[in-house]
Amino acid sequence: MSTGLALRPVLSQGLGLRKICRASGARLVSHRSKSRWGCPGARQLRACERPQRDTSREGRRERMGVVTTASASTADLTRAETQATALTVSKPVPAAALLPVAALNGGLAIEKTGFQFLEDLSKQATVREEGNGALVLGFNSPDGAKAMLDFTLGKLKFQRFLAAARKKLWWMTPEWGSESGVLPPETQFLLLELEHGGPYAALLPLIDGNTFRGTLRPPKSDAPEHVVMRMESGDEAVLGEQWQNSLYVAAGQDPFELIDFAVEAAAKLSGTAKPRREKQLPATLDVFGWCTWDAFYSRVSARGLHEGLASLVEGGVPPRFLIIDDGWQNTDVDKRFRSPPTSRSMPKMKQLQDASDEYFGAEIEVLADAKKDIPPSSSAGLALKQLIDDDQGEVGGPRHTGAPRSSKPKGKWLATTIKDTMTSISMNEDLYESDDEFLPPSAFTSWGPQSGSKDGAGGNPGPSASATLEEPPTKMKPPAADQLKLQKQRVATGTLAADEERKDVVKAGTAAIQKRRWPGQRLVGPIVGLIVAIIQRAAGLAMGALEVSLLKFYQWVVDTAPAESWPVRLFTYLATGPFREMLLEFYAASGDFTRRLTSVKANGKFSHPDAGPDDYYSGAEENLASVVDSLKAAFGVDYIYCWHGLPAYWSGISVEDPGTAAYKPELMFAKGTEGLYEIEPSMRWNPAVVAGVGMIRNPLPLYRDMHSYLASAGITGVKVDCQAGVGMMGSKCGGGPALAADFHAALEESIATHFPGNHAINCMAHSTENIYRWSDTAVARASDDFYPRDPASVTPHISACAFLSLFLSPLVQPDWDMFHSKHSASELHASARVLSGGSIYVSDYPGQHDFDILKRLVLPDGTILRAQLPGRPTRDSLFQDPLRDTKSLLKVWNSNKHSGIVGVFHLQGAAWSRASRQFVVHDSQPPPLTTVVRVSDVEPLASAGSPSGRWALYDDARKQLTTVTEDDTYSVWLESQRSTIITMTAVEQHGGVNFAAVGLTNMFNAGGAVQSMLCPAPSSAGGAFATMLVKGNGSFLMYADQKPSRVTVDGTSTEVEYDTASGAAYVTLEGGDKLTRQLAVFF
């Protein structure tokens, strides 16, 4: 399917480009020269270096995907649409797209011009030609075999850089700069602008021998201008002293072609990832979806799925794609954390066990209150993310076996508990007033031989150690007919006499107890229960308060401190030593990060279509298949994914539970690399470090069993999360790169077997250990999460998605994550998802929707008007910081089948802080900003040309139509956190008429509605000027320099509204079951 227009001879969908084979890669960078070739000496390029274009009218039409024919029929339009779709299949980048790089004068230079962009190359470096003008650097250790070694790479010479560097274990973030000193550690992608307007160089660290991962780092103090190259295995026992594949270096004039070529080459040298152009894209990209994560977190249930889908369907935006995120699996903490410390200290006291939910409920209430003051994107905020403090005042959190969370309303706990106690007393009064004429033998099992004891061979098991005779037995009296039947059976089997004897003993014992009971005896049990509940709650409140005090110290002192500062060192000592048990208690109470998989099957919340969150430990047998069937039948959902981790769950699989014993798990305590600790010190006390991970050496059987189970239940795909965590686990298993390779190979094999259509999403995987191992899976998350409750993260999320797509899109279709439609920044994020070219899905809580926003994204049949390529920043945005430089708006480009689009976003004011390791607002009121948009911002458009030399531009924010030439600029003014989408369509010209089909103005991606277009040469006075297929309902906009004489929709004439001043011609496409219609325009 589609791939980045970038470097290859791409034929963009609907833009119909023929091969781009510019040896120099030169293009327009200055409108003053009126030249399309803006590099130095461009006018002297030999003819063979320029792409040969057919400049005739027919040639221009062919490049735009517009078919010239003598007549227009539905078959012709359908064939044209198929041809337009086929045009998105890109070809390998030609060798001429690169500028050869050579080792010259102790550094690296562009061979053709002699421009040296790396000086003083390390003496430990080796250089070899990789083909197509690229080089691969290797390194030799001067100090023998090492598990990690830093090399001084050399001094870089450039104007500006764009880097993609890890900011935490799971994710990268983009960074910009003009000097090497601000290059971040853990850089995995580096693009250099060598001179203003190009050329450019790409430096990509590699994985050598499947065992050592490379990264770029800032200079050290003893060589302040020399960038550092690091090679590390991640396992102290895995050593190396020679690395042949450490760094890939290439250069080119076109940054998009250069990036595509370089990333594909780096993936081939480092792993198994195929180019995106060779992969099958899943059908989920073209439909609207709903994800359960931000709606329910891990408290998702079958009932919640039905409520969420029903809410959206009723609003007219039916999801065709559902992601059941974290929360469907059978998981638990280790057994010793499944009850509170108070119960563990006195395990024989039954009342403490029964009141354990009071402890957990109180602890979670305190933590949930504290959560409100902690940034959700910080490490402390992530630990508390799954604590739900909803508008009804109920608190929810993770669940543990035998310790269900309290559902009592906050502020009314004591009254509710007393009410429950009085109800219990009332029930006991009725019980003790009974005549005890029929009691089950199990009520007094300490009298007489029983099963489970050394002396007995029959009967019922003995009582638990905590049972007492003072506890009132349950009255059980079968109906008379059943008693008679039972008595006959006993007579027949010869057991009646024994039963009668036992009954006499029971009655005698009961009488003895009644004589010993004082009048208030029946109140003892409930009152003790009340007292114990109060004690448990008090203990829970105390533990929660202690945890919160430590949490606040951690958040404001430790989490913002430098990696090697005393607060970090102190907390590392406490967390891994004296306070380790408390930290484990906190992890067990507050989140899922210490939980392990206990079975590959679903939990009780998916036992039937109406199962709710409280059914987790109901004991009901799972029936995921019935839930899936009901969802598909009720809501017409086509694709349902289930979430799981690459290690199965956050802390792997249980080493204690029988459901996972067959996989032979081992408990291993992970250790991060020095580079990881530098960017995220909290990894020193990460759950994988202090609680360990349930590891399996061969994950393939686990994946096969899990995926087979899911597929048999009707699940169509998986979202595979926490992938980068496997790299940490490699610290005990041969290193992160090696272990990640094994896990990804098994995962890819199982997905190919069980989920036809390549239905998978890779997530939390921004380490090259993961990225370069996506062999066939074709979708991956582009950035850190959308945090609906963290205002500081709203704008950086979009920036990260756009810039990181440059690095990821050569291998996968970047997924820009879910968002909330009812949110202060919902329109900003909706526009961004349109530009992404990927899936569009929300994570709204049921009933919390903005349908005005959603209906601009989603058609009535649940499909979307998807742009055809991965969205990426425009060429003039590549090296501008749209978050912190106070002056730049972000521009993102993409293509439809017959138009180009540019999204413009005002994102200034907040960014990820590498110092405090969280999103930070540095300007709460950024001023409005202005930028200009050009036709050439959409890379294919300038090459495709326009038959008339003009383009119709539609501004979605202003609802304004205008026409421009290729050299014109269009000014855009935006306030903070605002955006607009500019649709650009070539103006057709013949017979004295200028015409352009723009699209549906009620949709964010207006131009995506035009599926195909035919422009027949008029053979008679009444011939149609243009015929097109349009998908969707609403107001369809066309540009024409004269009013159409007639417009037909599926052969029926319709009214045309025409504005002489702007040339805007509107027709209304009515609602109904038919969404794709044939329009014919006559002049």
Side-chain angles (χ1 to χ4, degrees):
M1 294 295 292
S2 69
T3 120
L5 206 79
L7 306 163
R8 8 186 114 73
V10 174
L11 299 176
S12 172
Q13 214 172 46
L15 296 174
L17 295 181
R18 302 189 319 169
K19 275 195 173 182
I20 303 172
C21 53
R22 296 178 290 192
S24 68
R27 68 178 302 281
L28 177 64
V29 295
S30 170
H31 292 290
R32 289 176 296 180
S33 67
K34 302 297 183 182
S35 168
R36 296 177 54 113
W37 308 92
C39 68
R43 298 178 185 273
Q44 287 74 44
L45 291 172
R46 299 190 303 273
C48 63
E49 291 180 307
R50 296 192 181 191
Q52 301 300 308
R53 282 177 34 175
D54 182 352
T55 56
S56 66
R57 182 175 69 181
E58 289 72 17
R60 290 194 299 268
R61 291 172 181 274
E62 179 185 351
R63 289 193 299 276
M64 288 302 301
V66 179
V67 179
T68 302
T69 180
S71 61
S73 66
T74 302
D76 293 329
L77 287 167
T78 303
R79 186 163 52 253
E81 181 181 5
T82 303
Q83 292 172 353
T85 301
L87 291 177
T88 61
V89 180
S90 48
K91 307 295 189 297
V93 180
L98 298 187
L99 297 174
V101 178
L104 297 173
N105 302 321
L108 302 181
I110 295 178
E111 191 175 73
K112 187 174 183 179
T113 63
F115 180 90
Q116 191 168 38
F117 60 89
L118 178 66
E119 298 176 345
D120 196 17
L121 179 63
S122 171
K123 292 181 172 56
Q124 280 77 46
T126 62
V127 181
R128 80 168 190 271
E129 294 184 4
E130 184 57 26
N132 299 324
L135 299 179
V136 172
L137 303 188
F139 291 91
N140 296 314
S141 170
D143 302 317
K146 300 286 185 180
M148 183 195 80
L149 197 60
D150 287 346
F151 300 91
T152 301
L153 175 63
K155 182 179 178 180
L156 292 172
K157 294 178 59 180
F158 58 92
Q159 296 296 321
R160 297 178 292 180
F161 75 73
L162 166 65
R166 283 211 292 182
K167 66 176 183 178
K168 56 175 71 171
L169 172 65
W170 317 105
W171 302 112
M172 295 184 291
T173 190
E175 300 289 351
W176 302 263
S178 57
E179 58 183 37
S180 299
V182 296
L183 185 72
E186 284 288 310
T187 291
Q188 303 180 124
F189 166 94
L190 183 61
L191 181 68
L192 304 177
E193 183 187 43
L194 304 182
E195 297 181 282
H196 287 297
Y200 308 89
L203 283 69
L204 296 173
L206 304 173
I207 295 175
D208 181 82
N210 211 36
T211 54
F212 278 80
R213 170 177 169 266
T215 56
L216 292 172
R217 301 177 50 76
K220 296 182 178 180
S221 57
D222 58 347
E225 296 182 331
H226 290 64
V227 171
V228 173
M229 179 80 204
R230 172 172 289 180
M231 299 298 294
E232 58 188 342
S233 69
D235 186 337
E236 294 175 352
V238 177
L239 309 178
E241 54 185 7
Q242 186 179 56
W243 301 273
Q244 294 182 347
N245 297 329
S246 297
L247 184 69
Y248 183 88
V249 182
Q253 189 66 37
D254 185 313
F256 299 104
E257 290 186 345
L258 170 63
I259 292 168
D260 277 10
F261 189 96
V263 173
E264 287 184 13
K268 186 175 181 179
L269 289 165
S270 299
T272 57
K274 300 174 184 174
R276 178 174 51 87
R277 56 189 166 80
E278 297 179 7
K279 297 178 179 180
Q280 178 184 8
L281 295 181
T284 51
L285 297 182
D286 293 305
V287 297
F288 174 59
W290 178 60
C291 178
T292 62
W293 181 239
D294 283 322
F296 297 113
Y297 298 120
S298 59
R299 291 169 61 85
V300 62
S301 65
R303 185 188 308 148
L305 297 179
H306 285 79
E307 292 171 351
L309 292 173
S311 183
L312 290 164
V313 169
E314 290 168 4
V317 286
R320 300 267 294 274
F321 173 37
L322 167 66
I323 300 176
I324 306 175
D325 216 293
D326 186 3
W328 69 270
Q329 293 170 291
N330 265 302
T331 65
D332 214 331
V333 294
D334 293 340
K335 289 182 179 179
R336 67 192 181 100
F337 295 108
R338 295 177 189 178
S339 60
T342 49
S343 299
R344 294 200 297 272
S345 62
M346 290 182 285
K348 293 185 179 182
M349 187 172 180
K350 184 176 185 297
Q351 289 88 347
L352 278 175
Q353 306 294 333
D354 293 342
S356 62
D357 61 325
E358 306 297 353
Y359 176 96
F360 285 123
E363 182 185 17
I364 286 178
E365 283 184 24
V366 177
L367 292 174
D369 286 338
K371 169 188 172 183
K372 300 172 184 177
D373 301 323
I374 296 176
S377 60
S378 66
S379 59
L382 291 173
L384 296 172
K385 184 172 184 179
Q386 294 175 58
L387 297 182
I388 301 171
D389 191 0
D390 62 28
D391 295 335
Q392 286 70 44
E394 294 183 355
V395 174
R399 310 287 298 268
H400 304 321
T401 302
R405 294 297 184 239
S406 174
S407 60
K408 297 173 184 176
K410 292 190 301 181
K412 300 180 181 179
W413 175 86
L414 184 59
T416 306
T417 302
I418 292 174
K419 180 180 178 182
D420 292 346
T421 301
M422 297 308 296
T423 301
S424 176
I425 291 172
S426 176
M427 292 175 64
N428 285 338
E429 288 176 347
D430 293 339
L431 181 67
Y432 278 112
E433 290 172 359
S434 69
D435 57 4
D436 294 320
E437 62 183 69
F438 187 90
L439 293 174
S442 60
F444 300 93
T445 51
S446 62
W447 299 339
Q450 305 296 329
S451 171
S453 68
K454 293 181 180 180
D455 301 323
N460 294 300
S464 67
S466 60
T468 63
L469 291 179
E470 283 75 1
E471 295 177 35
T474 303
K475 182 178 178 182
M476 295 176 60
K477 187 171 182 178
D482 290 344
Q483 291 186 56
L484 180 60
K485 182 178 179 181
L486 179 61
Q487 186 171 1
K488 288 181 178 179
Q489 291 175 346
R490 289 171 175 171
V491 171
T493 58
T495 60
L496 181 58
D499 283 345
E500 290 297 330
E501 181 181 353
R502 180 174 299 170
K503 187 173 181 180
D504 290 340
V505 175
V506 170
K507 285 186 176 181
T510 302
I513 291 175
Q514 294 285 359
K515 289 179 182 179
R516 292 197 304 266
R517 182 183 299 123
W518 53 279
Q521 182 89 25
R522 64 179 179 272
L523 303 178
V524 171
I527 291 176
V528 170
L530 174 61
I531 294 172
V532 169
I534 294 173
I535 293 173
Q536 286 279 40
R537 181 169 178 82
L541 291 172
M543 176 60 76
L546 179 59
E547 290 171 339
V548 167
S549 62
L550 290 174
L551 194 64
K552 289 186 175 180
F553 169 78
Y554 169 79
Q555 174 62 29
W556 304 116
V557 178
V558 179
D559 205 25
T560 57
E564 295 301 325
S565 62
W566 72 262
V568 171
R569 292 198 301 270
L570 173 62
F571 199 86
T572 301
Y573 164 73
L574 295 174
T576 57
F579 287 0
R580 180 173 177 270
E581 283 299 307
M582 181 185 294
L583 184 61
L584 290 173
E585 294 281 358
F586 167 75
Y587 282 144
S590 65
D592 290 334
F593 295 118
T594 55
R595 297 173 72 90
R596 313 188 200 278
L597 188 76
T598 59
S599 168
V600 298
K601 295 185 177 182
N603 58 51
K605 295 184 295 178
F606 301 87
S607 55
H608 55 88
D610 194 42
D614 293 331
D615 287 312
Y616 195 115
Y617 294 112
S618 64
E621 185 177 354
E622 68 80 25
N623 195 347
L624 181 62
S626 70
V627 175
V628 170
D629 288 344
S630 68
L631 295 173
K632 292 181 177 180
F635 308 112
V637 181
D638 295 320
Y639 311 102
I640 301 179
Y641 285 16
C642 275
W643 178 102
H644 71 79
L646 189 62
Y649 203 67
W650 294 105
S651 282
I653 71 174
S654 175
V655 298
E656 301 173 326
D657 290 272
T660 52
Y663 306 113
K664 300 179 180 178
E666 306 171 54
L667 187 60
M668 298 184 180
F669 292 86
K671 181 181 179 182
T673 64
E674 291 304 313
L676 179 59
Y677 290 156
E678 183 177 359
I679 60 171
E680 193 174 12
S682 62
M683 287 297 106
R684 295 181 183 273
W685 49 86
N686 177 272
V689 173
V690 296
V693 178
M695 262 286 298
I696 49 178
R697 299 287 181 171
N698 179 14
L700 184 57
L702 173 67
Y703 292 153
R704 283 175 174 168
D705 290 348
M706 186 188 302
H707 294 169
S708 175
Y709 161 74
L710 291 174
S712 68
I715 299 298
T716 51
V718 286
K719 173 185 175 183
V720 185
D721 217 334
C722 46
Q723 293 190 9
V726 171
M728 274 189 71
M729 292 157 52
S731 61
K732 303 296 182 181
C733 306
L739 188 64
D742 292 341
F743 270 72
H744 279 285
L747 177 70
E748 297 272 339
E749 179 180 333
S750 184
I751 288 173
T753 301
H754 297 99
F755 303 119
N758 205 18
H759 285 286
I761 301 174
N762 296 288
C763 191
M764 299 184 79
H766 281 188
S767 169
T768 48
E769 295 166 338
N770 309 111
I771 295 169
Y772 290 149
R773 273 55 183 271
W774 297 329
S775 301
D776 292 294
T777 52
V779 177
R781 275 275 302 279
S783 81
D784 198 348
D785 290 9
F786 168 78
Y787 296 102
R789 297 171 181 84
D790 187 356
S793 72
V794 166
T795 53
H797 178 93
I798 295 173
S799 172
C801 286
F803 284 94
L804 296 179
S805 289
L806 289 162
F807 181 22
L808 299 176
S809 63
L811 305 178
V812 291
Q813 170 62 53
D815 179 324
W816 289 27
D817 198 18
M818 66 199 93
F819 71 103
H820 278 188
S821 70
K822 195 169 185 179
H823 189 275
S824 60
S826 60
E827 188 165 355
L828 185 76
H829 277 268
S831 299
R833 301 313 184 273
V834 167
L835 268 296
S836 76
S839 297
I840 295 178
Y841 56 104
V842 296
S843 191
D844 295 350
Y845 189 81
Q848 301 296 313
H849 316 290
D850 186 334
F851 287 111
D852 291 337
I853 295 288
L854 292 176
K855 288 180 179 180
R856 299 199 64 203
L857 294 168
V858 188
L859 298 178
D861 66 348
T863 60
I864 62 173
L865 301 177
R866 183 171 70 91
Q868 301 300 301
L869 303 170
R872 286 155 291 172
T874 59
R875 191 175 296 217
D876 58 353
S877 292
L878 288 177
F879 301 98
Q880 295 177 342
D881 183 347
L883 305 175
R884 289 168 290 210
D885 72 4
T886 72
K887 60 183 180 181
S888 299
L889 297 174
L890 172 64
K891 296 191 296 180
V892 180
W893 68 274
N894 210 318
S895 296
N896 293 310
K897 294 176 180 178
H898 293 276
S899 60
I901 52 176
V902 174
V904 188
F905 303 88
H906 191 321
L907 308 179
Q908 297 284 344
W912 176 262
S913 168
R914 287 186 172 268
S916 61
R917 295 181 289 278
Q918 61 191 32
F919 292 108
V920 174
V921 175
H922 54 266
D923 185 352
S924 60
Q925 293 183 318
L929 296 174
T930 303
T931 190
V932 295
V933 173
R934 303 178 177 88
V935 170
S936 58
D937 285 338
V938 181
E939 293 290 320
L941 291 189
S943 299
S946 168
S948 65
R950 299 192 67 80
W951 302 80
L953 264 63
Y954 176 72
D955 186 332
D956 181 70
R958 295 181 184 175
K959 307 300 179 186
Q960 175 178 303
L961 178 68
T962 188
T963 60
V964 297
T965 67
E966 184 178 320
D967 294 331
D968 288 338
T969 60
Y970 177 79
S971 180
V972 175
W973 179 90
L974 290 175
E975 294 181 317
S976 176
Q977 294 195 21
R978 293 293 182 265
S979 63
T980 189
I981 297 176
I982 311 296
T983 301
M984 307 176 183
T985 309
V987 175
E988 296 293 317
Q989 182 183 58
H990 71 75
V993 176
N994 290 292
F995 173 85
V998 178
L1000 289 170
T1001 59
N1002 53 293
M1003 304 298 288
F1004 280 111
N1005 186 11
V1010 182
Q1011 302 295 295
S1012 64
M1013 185 166 71
L1014 297 170
C1015 288
S1019 56
S1020 62
F1025 179 89
T1027 307
M1028 66 203 79
L1029 286 178
V1030 177
K1031 184 177 182 180
N1033 299 325
S1035 183
F1036 186 77
L1037 171 64
M1038 300 167 284
Y1039 166 76
D1041 60 359
Q1042 57 184 274
K1043 183 177 181 179
S1045 60
R1046 181 164 59 102
V1047 175
T1048 64
V1049 179
D1050 289 336
T1052 302
S1053 294
T1054 188
E1055 182 179 352
V1056 182
E1057 295 183 17
Y1058 183 74
D1059 179 67
T1060 304
S1062 64
Y1066 287 94
V1067 298
T1068 300
L1069 303 181
E1070 301 293 345
D1073 295 335
K1074 187 175 182 180
L1075 285 178
T1076 301
R1077 303 173 179 85
Q1078 180 175 327
L1079 271 67
V1081 183
F1082 299 82
F1083 291 95

